[in-house]
Amino acid sequence: MTDTLFPAATGTMGQPERRYEAREKVTGSAAYASDVKLARTAHAYLVTSSIGRGRLQSFDLTAARALPGVIDILTHETIGDEIRQTPSIYGGGYMADTLRPLGSAEIAHWGQPVAMVVAETYEAAREAANLVVVSYAAEVAPVAGMGSSVATGQALDPMGFAVGDFDTAYRTANVTVDANYTTPAQHQNPMELFATQCVWEAGRLTVHEPSQYVNNVKFGLAAQLGLDPSRIRVISTYVGGAFGAKGFLTHRTALVAVAARRIGRPVKLVPTRAQGFTVSGYRAETRHHVQLAATQDGRLTALRHEGWEVTSRADTVAMGAVSMTARLYACPNITARVNVVAADRSTPGFMRAPGEMPYAFAMETALDELAHKLQMDPVALRRVNDTQTEPVGGLPYTSRSLMLCFDTAAAAFGWQGRPSEPATMRDGDWQVGWGCATAFYPTHAGNSAARVRLSADGRVHVESAGHELGQGMYTMMAQVAAEELGVPIAQVTVALGDTDLPPAVVAGGSSSTASVAPAIMAACDAIRRRLGIATGVPADVMPAMEASGLGTIEEFTEVRAHGTAPDSLRGLYRGMALPAGGVHLPDRVQFALGAQFVEVRVHRRTREIRVPRVIGAFAAGRIINPRTAHGQLVGGMIWGIGSALHEHSEIDTRNASYINANLADYLVPVNADVADVQAIMVEEEDRLVNRAGVKGVGEIGVVGVAAAISNAIFHATGIRVRDLPIRIEHLM
Amino acid sequence: MSDSERKTEPVSKRRRNFLIGSAMTGVVPVIGWAGQAQATTQAAPVDARAALNVALRVNGRLHQVQVDARMTLLDALREEIGLTGAKKGCDHGQCGACTVLVDGRRELACLTLAVAAQGREVVTIEGLAAPDGTLHPMQEAFVAQDAFQCGYCTPGQILSAISCVHEGHATSPDQVREYMSGNLCRCAAYPNIVAAVLQASQQMGD
Ligand code: FES
Ligand code: FES
């Protein structure tokens, strides 16, 4: 059981307030997109491709059309040109991929939507979808992924870089590590399905859809449908988990919008869990080659990290997190490269710690291998290579408390006295091992706007089109306004997740709080200035408000994040507010950092792997709500357990399909997989990152855990596993 | 629909008739109070797609609804009765998001046909709080222990947790972990869920 569930408020930590929307969530009254009741709703069901590459030859819709209750069937032949071809986000547009929804007879990947049935009931739509007969012309066998022999890598030169002379330094080094690592395809699988409801009223479209970026959906749909954006409203009041899967516009939204317009009724689509595997992006499989060289006392002299990632044929997508793994430790000679392997798969996308998880697995395992070769404690190895200046561009960290995290977590874990030799700790039939790793996540923020209204009766209303994904956005917004205006939090109401509100950044890259809190602070400042109250110090605004005789004061502010271009505020009003920061700034680097320690037990005979203890200490700047932040960090670390031991989207190479596209076979951690998981928040003050001093905690928890578990398994058994997920068969 | 899914769907007419038949058998004892002459559909050839009138007792209230024979209890609650607290996470009995109490026991509403729920007491998340709004101890414990993030799995978790306590499985953290493992939480609020179940089990006095 955790003993740090709800850390109290201290220097850089705010109050552990309860969740703003807690009551709605425990009483079932929180209305997620598929819960919204619209009058006369028709139900849609997708038909998706069963081949991996080829063409649609023909549809036989006779039986499906004849089914009672069927209203309409959309295919590329029946939809006309209602949906325009628009670029993906990788090409400066809004879509999660560049394929045009029901755009042609071409099949680019298994699971591609090829038809959508609309019927009076869900049951009729599903049955009719079964009755749609699709004839395919499969061309050549699809390239299923990294392993297929026809797949060839393509170097992405702009993502590569080098400093010093790696080759010479590596060749002349005392101690070296040279190893390859792999991570599998994974799917976010938020518990909520990818529901969409669309309703047209007097030429205006309202979309109810779980989203991490409502304005992306609004402006993307406007482009696809050739509509004035002012005619579209997107609402996402609650999101049942997202983890990157709900960031950008997918095919389904325009299909549902078109269907609703065609039949003149609201249409509801809830794709199945299996269909969800190709509705949105996913974490593509990766391969890594890492070479490290060090002096006898552990100082890194050469570091090389080359990554390969699967992408689709339509889009070149790479997370390329060598940009981070090469900047973590002092080292004079560095080479980094990124390659993509185009496959006949749907376009990959973002999944919690998208590149950080796989690239950290490779680098942090390699460091453990180096520590073992050096016969050096893994914490000591990190300490001799600690730096306040990143080694690639020589830029300063805005703040870096990595060793404080290591020391805090090591003490809480009881790391001292760990035997350095593997396979030496035993508890009955269990081999016991301890491992650790660095966690890191770049600090991002994006342009955002907020509106704050103060009423004479002391009520405060805060609005911004940010998103509540479970990270605590409602609570954070209420809390910041309450603090800035000196009113009790119970008097604050919040609205978010609606394109009618002031626009905010995409809820991605752990950037929501870092982006929206400064906008709320700026609006509160404006209110304080109107009341003649100094800003930047605690104050209760109510006496001045009463004295002013005003009924309400309302202020709207926009803030531009560090590293964004001066004209980028226009993007905020076009659904293009993307996070900036991390390693992409000219003057500095920004990272949250952490240290994660793990105990594993491997059964002597069955080789069952258990993880009884995980302790992470994190320095992520100011923590506005330690209660919700704790949930993010613990949840992230449990995702790390999933990455290490469970999650793997298994691919059938014959048609490049997912074999385990369901929640029984795609394993995610369940309650019984999780024992003692503790997150410690280390005090850190960073006045540079953003006005709120916030670095973000949504993703960092995931980052080092898989490496720490792999390192602990090596310590328990002497077996080094370099491929995720680690399973019993690896330890035979 | 992919090929692999297709196999799991009841596509032949014979299979549908079998399903309807067995569902009908299940409702025979309740026809009296349901007040609908369902028996006639057994005598005549069955139109598998004809809407059926069913009476569902949910949270102490009787609801007369028309359902497709294939409609699950989950969809009947959500689409017909308007109780959207029970959530669809997989529709295949794999995630627990749709958990409700049926005759006091936890049941997956996505694996229960609406017609088969006739004559049984269904409790959903909407039926837990007292009429004055006072939360059930399990709801209160979930709030106090921050046992959720996105909240999507939460109705199912809470109903499952109540059953877990009634079944006598909330005796230790290990027991709770084991008997709450049918309810996935992708946000991974698991440690807090365990804390909430243990807290509430004391207040529930079981
Ligand atoms: S929706 Fe019923 S178990 Fe998943
Ligand atoms: S709270 Fe999000 S799935 Fe459990």
Side-chain angles (χ1 to χ4, degrees):
Chain A
M1 196 62 32
T2 50
D3 57 8
T4 49
L5 268 185
F6 308 120
T10 58
T12 56
M13 271 189 263
Q15 293 294 333
E17 300 285 356
R18 289 185 174 194
R19 283 177 201 265
Y20 174 87
E21 77 289 13
R23 187 179 175 90
E24 285 74 9
K25 284 183 173 173
V26 299
T27 56
S29 63
Y32 300 79
S34 67
D35 300 340
V36 174
K37 183 76 181 165
L38 303 170
R40 295 181 61 241
T41 300
H43 296 262
Y45 202 98
L46 291 175
V47 179
T48 59
S49 168
S50 62
I51 67 165
R53 179 176 183 177
R55 288 179 62 81
L56 293 164
Q57 222 158 27
S58 65
F59 285 98
D60 183 350
L61 305 178
T62 321
R65 281 203 173 117
L67 199 72
V70 170
I71 306 168
D72 197 4
I73 302 177
L74 301 183
T75 69
H76 72 282
E77 288 163 344
T78 66
I79 196 170
D81 51 9
E82 294 211 50
I83 303 175
R84 300 177 185 190
Q85 174 78 57
T86 59
S88 76
I89 48 163
Y90 312 104
Y94 298 95
M95 297 287 299
D97 71 345
T98 52
L99 298 180
R100 182 172 159 217
L102 296 185
S104 76
E106 298 296 323
I107 297 297
H109 62 86
W110 175 85
Q112 180 180 324
V114 296
M116 191 175 81
V117 178
V118 184
E120 294 292 341
T121 65
Y122 176 72
E123 290 76 18
R126 181 179 56 189
E127 183 176 5
N130 273 299
L131 295 173
V132 170
V133 180
V134 188
S135 302
Y136 299 98
E139 287 162 5
V140 294
V143 174
M146 201 85 81
S148 297
S149 51
V150 275
T152 49
Q154 173 205 338
L156 295 180
D157 291 332
M159 283 191 160
F161 51 87
V163 290
D165 178 357
F166 171 85
D167 289 336
T168 307
Y170 188 79
R171 216 175 34 242
T172 56
N174 301 108
V175 184
T176 60
V177 166
D178 182 334
N180 291 288
Y181 306 88
T182 68
T183 67
Q186 296 180 332
H187 281 78
Q188 303 90 344
N189 275 313
M191 293 309 302
E192 179 189 26
L193 297 165
F194 293 100
T196 297
Q197 295 202 74
C198 288
V199 56
W200 292 85
E201 283 152 323
R204 305 176 77 88
L205 170 65
T206 303
V207 180
H208 299 272
E209 180 173 296
S211 175
Q212 293 171 251
Y213 196 9
V214 285
N215 277 300
N216 163 275
V217 174
K218 167 176 164 159
F219 286 90
L221 262 187
Q224 282 185 307
L225 303 180
L227 275 180
D228 187 320
S230 67
R231 294 186 166 278
I232 301 178
R233 180 179 181 191
V234 181
I235 300 174
S236 195
T237 317
Y238 295 99
V239 179
F243 314 114
K246 297 168 180 170
F248 300 105
L249 189 59
T250 68
H251 289 209
R252 73 192 196 274
T253 315
L255 297 180
V256 178
V258 167
R261 186 160 64 186
R262 277 163 68 116
I263 71 168
R265 287 169 60 178
V267 172
K268 176 180 194 169
L269 171 70
V270 183
T272 65
R273 176 61 60 182
Q275 291 171 344
F277 275 64
T278 47
V279 162
S280 186
Y282 56 98
R283 179 168 9 239
E285 54 268 45
T286 69
R287 196 150 59 78
H288 304 264
H289 182 206
V290 179
Q291 290 172 294
L292 301 175
T295 59
Q296 228 24 281
D297 61 2
R299 268 196 300 274
L300 286 168
T301 55
L303 178 152
R304 184 172 185 284
H305 191 167
E306 179 162 9
W308 287 260
E309 305 180 32
V310 162
T311 187
S312 66
R313 281 192 201 279
D315 294 284
T316 299
V317 181
M319 300 301 149
V322 291
S323 62
M324 293 166 233
T325 53
R327 285 182 167 89
L328 287 177
Y329 305 106
C331 181
N333 303 294
I334 297 173
T335 298
R337 286 164 61 92
V338 179
N339 310 275
V340 286
V341 176
D344 296 302
R345 297 258 301 280
S346 62
T347 295
F350 301 91
M351 176 165 163
R352 201 173 191 180
E356 292 78 7
M357 189 289 286
Y359 282 79
F361 169 67
M363 181 55 69
E364 292 297 308
T365 309
L367 274 174
D368 200 70
E369 302 203 37
L370 180 63
H372 182 67
K373 273 201 170 171
L374 291 163
Q375 300 211 315
M376 193 170 177
D377 181 88
V379 179
L381 179 63
R382 269 88 177 176
R383 197 182 312 277
V384 300
N385 291 296
D386 191 31
T387 177
Q388 294 293 327
T389 308
E390 60 90 5
V392 177
L395 300 177
Y397 280 82
T398 54
S399 60
R400 171 168 161 131
S401 316
L402 179 63
M403 292 323 295
L404 182 56
C405 292
F406 264 103
D407 293 338
T408 305
F413 188 86
W415 179 261
Q416 219 185 3
R418 167 187 179 269
S420 62
E421 273 311 297
T424 50
M425 298 204 299
R426 271 285 179 89
D427 182 4
D429 274 340
W430 295 89
Q431 295 179 290
V432 180
W434 292 353
C436 67
T438 296
F440 56 87
Y441 197 83
T443 301
H444 296 132
N447 301 338
S448 290
R451 183 182 291 119
V452 178
R453 185 169 62 241
L454 172 67
S455 303
D457 61 4
R459 283 182 300 122
V460 174
H461 185 66
V462 192
E463 301 179 334
S464 180
H467 307 82
E468 174 63 62
L469 313 175
Q471 82 280 46
M473 192 68 174
Y474 280 109
T475 318
M476 180 283 287
M477 288 172 65
Q479 210 165 335
V480 170
E483 275 177 29
E484 295 296 312
L485 297 177
V487 302
I489 192 168
Q491 287 168 219
V492 185
T493 53
V494 178
L496 55 70
D498 182 341
T499 51
D500 278 1
L501 301 173
V505 68
V506 56
S510 297
S511 68
S512 280
T513 301
S515 309
V516 177
I520 296 171
M521 289 170 159
C524 292
D525 278 356
I527 290 175
R528 287 165 66 134
R529 277 195 295 271
R530 279 177 63 179
L531 291 170
I533 302 168
T535 58
V537 288
D540 174 0
V541 298
M542 287 319 292
M545 184 67 182
E546 273 152 37
S548 74
L550 294 167
T552 59
I553 304 180
E554 184 173 282
E555 287 290 349
F556 175 94
T557 54
E558 302 160 336
V559 293
R560 191 162 67 78
H562 181 80
T564 59
D567 63 354
S568 66
L569 275 170
R570 268 185 285 143
L572 182 57
Y573 294 90
R574 288 189 292 119
M576 293 270 182
L578 302 176
V583 296
H584 302 292
L585 300 171
D587 55 338
R588 66 200 201 193
V589 290
Q590 310 179 151
F591 274 96
L593 287 146
Q596 294 168 322
F597 289 74
V598 168
E599 176 174 319
V600 301
R601 291 175 171 239
V602 178
H603 196 273
R604 195 162 60 90
R605 279 192 270 266
T606 66
R607 310 314 271 162
E608 181 186 357
I609 307 162
R610 303 294 299 172
V611 183
R613 288 202 294 149
V614 183
I615 295 183
F618 303 90
R622 182 172 166 213
I623 301 295
I624 289 185
N625 186 327
R627 181 183 173 92
T628 52
H630 188 267
Q632 290 287 285
L633 291 167
V634 168
M637 288 194 280
I638 295 171
W639 268 57
I641 297 174
S643 274
L645 303 178
H646 306 130
E647 297 191 34
H648 182 184
S649 303
E650 309 216 32
I651 297 154
D652 184 336
T653 53
R654 290 169 303 177
N655 62 350
S657 65
Y658 295 112
I659 301 169
N660 58 340
N662 64 74
L663 287 177
D665 298 316
Y666 183 92
L667 303 182
V668 300
V670 303
N671 211 323
D673 292 317
V674 177
D676 184 3
V677 180
Q678 294 187 35
I680 303 167
M681 286 172 263
V682 170
E683 297 271 341
E684 185 181 69
E685 186 168 319
D686 188 324
R687 292 172 175 274
L688 292 172
V689 277
N690 49 65
R691 165 152 180 216
V694 165
K695 289 184 171 179
V697 293
E699 293 166 90
I700 186 171
V702 184
V703 177
V705 174
I709 288 177
S710 152
N711 298 340
I713 286 174
F714 174 74
H715 189 235
T717 64
I719 301 171
R720 179 67 71 180
V721 185
R722 301 187 181 88
D723 306 293
L724 295 182
I726 302 170
R727 288 187 170 156
I728 286 171
E729 57 266 31
H730 291 118
L731 305 178
M732 295 303 219
Chain B
M1 168 139 341
S2 70
D3 281 354
S4 61
E5 262 186 288
R6 223 172 259 274
K7 292 194 197 83
T8 67
E9 299 289 339
V11 286
S12 87
K13 193 145 198 309
R14 180 177 304 170
R15 169 113 175 98
R16 268 196 306 273
N17 288 345
F18 167 75
L19 271 177
I20 306 295
S22 38
M24 286 300 105
T25 314
V27 301
V28 167
V30 301
I31 284 173
W33 66 261
Q36 297 294 330
Q38 306 270 359
T40 56
T41 59
Q42 286 197 307
V46 175
D47 175 0
R49 301 186 192 91
L52 302 171
N53 290 305
V54 300
L56 294 174
R57 186 171 290 278
V58 185
N59 302 330
R61 269 192 59 194
L62 196 61
H63 298 265
Q64 297 281 353
V65 289
Q66 283 212 324
V67 302
D68 185 295
R70 298 160 292 182
M71 182 177 266
T72 60
L73 174 59
L74 177 61
D75 284 333
L77 290 169
R78 295 179 49 80
E79 304 292 338
E80 301 301 323
I81 299 178
L83 294 172
T84 53
K87 296 290 185 263
K88 187 180 285 190
C90 69
D91 222 13
H92 282 48
Q94 298 172 338
C95 75
C98 63
T99 307
V100 295
L101 301 182
V102 180
D103 290 340
R105 297 163 56 117
R106 45 180 160 174
E107 204 162 286
L108 298 174
C110 74
L111 291 190
T112 307
L113 289 172
V115 288
Q118 287 199 99
R120 305 172 74 194
E121 283 295 332
V122 179
V123 175
T124 70
I125 192 75
E126 291 93 341
L128 284 186
D132 70 352
T134 307
L135 296 178
H136 184 282
M138 191 61 77
Q139 292 172 306
E140 185 50 50
F142 266 64
V143 175
Q145 298 294 338
D146 203 41
F148 53 88
Q149 292 172 31
C150 78
Y152 197 79
C153 72
T154 310
Q157 299 278 1
I158 288 175
L159 290 161
S160 207
I162 290 171
S163 262
C164 179
V165 173
H166 287 318
E167 291 159 13
H169 294 312
T171 51
S172 70
D174 275 345
Q175 283 273 303
V176 172
R177 283 180 198 124
E178 196 62 34
Y179 284 91
M180 288 300 290
S181 279
N183 290 82
L184 303 183
C185 176
R186 189 54 162 155
C187 299
Y190 296 127
N192 296 11
I193 291 171
V194 174
V197 177
L198 291 172
Q199 175 189 317
S201 80
Q202 297 191 340
Q203 288 150 9
M204 287 166 66
D206 281 75

